Amino acid sequence: MEQNIPESIDEYILQYPQEIQEILKTIRKVIKESAPNAEEKISYRMPTFVLNGNLVHFAAYKNHIGFYPTSSGINNFQDELSGYKTSKGAVQFPIEKPIPYGLISQIVKFRVAENQSKVEGKMKRNNL
C-alpha cells in the first residue's frame, strides 16, 4: 500500500480504515497517558513519542500493529510478550486479537523511567 509521508500523527492515522484508526487512536491515547510529557513526531515514517530520546514508535500493517519500544522494552517484558511475534526491538500485535493496551502502558512507563535514568546518569557523570 503506497502512502504519502505523513507530517503528523493525525495525518498518519487518517490514512487507515476506520477500525484501524480506532486502534491507533487508542494506542496514542495510552502512550500519552503513560508519558504525559512526551512529544509526538513522525520518525521513520511512524508515529513516535520522544522524551529524553526516543521512547516508542508504532505503526499499522495489513495484519498487525507494530510496536517498537527498543530492545530493552522487549527484553524487560519477555514473559508478557511471549504470545506475540517479537524481534530485537519490535513486537507485532495481530489486528484480529485484542490489543494489550495495559501492557503497552507498562512498557511505555518502563521506557520513560529508563530514559530518565540515562539522563540522570549523564548528569552525575558530568558533575564529577
Side-chain angles (χ1 to χ4, degrees), residues 42-60:
I42 296 291
S43 183
Y44 304 106
R45 296 185 176 199
M46 292 183 278
T48 301
F49 283 79
V50 178
L51 182 63
N52 299 315
N54 283 340
L55 282 179
V56 296
H57 309 271
F58 64 93

Side-chain angles (χ1 to χ4, degrees), residues 9 27-35 38-44 46-59 66-74 77 89-91 93 103-115:
I9 294 179
I27 290 172
R28 180 187 196 184
K29 180 177 182 266
V30 166
I31 295 170
K32 286 172 110 171
E33 289 172 353
S34 303
E39 293 180 27
E40 295 183 345
K41 69 178 188 175
I42 296 291
S43 183
Y44 304 106
M46 292 183 278
T48 301
F49 283 79
V50 178
L51 182 63
N52 299 315
N54 283 340
L55 282 179
V56 296
H57 309 271
F58 64 93
F67 183 64
Y68 307 89
T70 74
S71 58
S72 63
I74 297 296
F77 290 89
V91 59
F93 298 125
L103 179 56
I104 290 172
S105 175
Q106 290 176 350
I107 294 170
V108 171
K109 289 175 182 175
F110 167 80
R111 291 287 299 123
V112 168
E114 183 177 49
N115 279 7

